[in-house]
Amino acid sequence: MTDAVGKIVADIQRGKRAGVYLLVGDEFLAREGAQAIVDALIPKAHQPLSVEVVSDDEAATVPARLRMVPLFGGVKVVVVHDTRAFASKQNVG
């Protein structure tokens, strides 16, 4: 886990949460960091019902998924891996 993710996890444990976390860079580190954040937000036992992992193909459904209330209340997390939503269509340079 990177120092930045460690700080985020520490903030979550102190009750300070953000609405969105964006992790960029090395795919392995980003996935590892995302899992650490998910683990800090939601206990492992509740993750199957409170965490949705979607592919980039389904990224357009994220707003609707976020509006859906978790089955048993509490926090809901939607994770999108490998999205190209933030990639520029122009090649700079």
Side-chain angles (χ1 to χ4, degrees):
M1 177 173 15
T2 66
D3 291 343
V5 172
K7 182 183 178 317
I8 291 169
V9 169
D11 286 346
I12 292 168
Q13 291 169 342
R14 286 192 300 269
K16 184 178 175 185
R17 293 186 283 198
V20 175
Y21 296 98
L22 175 64
L23 304 177
V24 296
D26 179 76
E27 182 180 346
F28 176 78
L29 293 176
R31 284 180 180 263
E32 183 181 77
Q35 188 59 53
I37 292 169
V38 168
D39 290 344
L41 289 168
I42 300 176
K44 286 258 190 217
H46 297 166
Q47 287 182 15
L49 297 173
S50 298
V51 177
E52 291 186 57
V53 178
V54 298
S55 66
D56 189 46
D57 299 343
E58 302 171 301
T61 67
V62 169
R65 292 172 187 267
L66 289 172
R67 282 192 298 274
M68 294 176 68
V69 178
L71 187 60
F72 296 109
V75 175
K76 178 173 184 167
V77 174
V78 178
V79 179
V80 182
H81 289 294
D82 303 324
T83 185
R84 291 178 299 281
F86 302 104
S88 174
K89 291 184 180 183
Q90 297 179 352
N91 186 358
V92 178

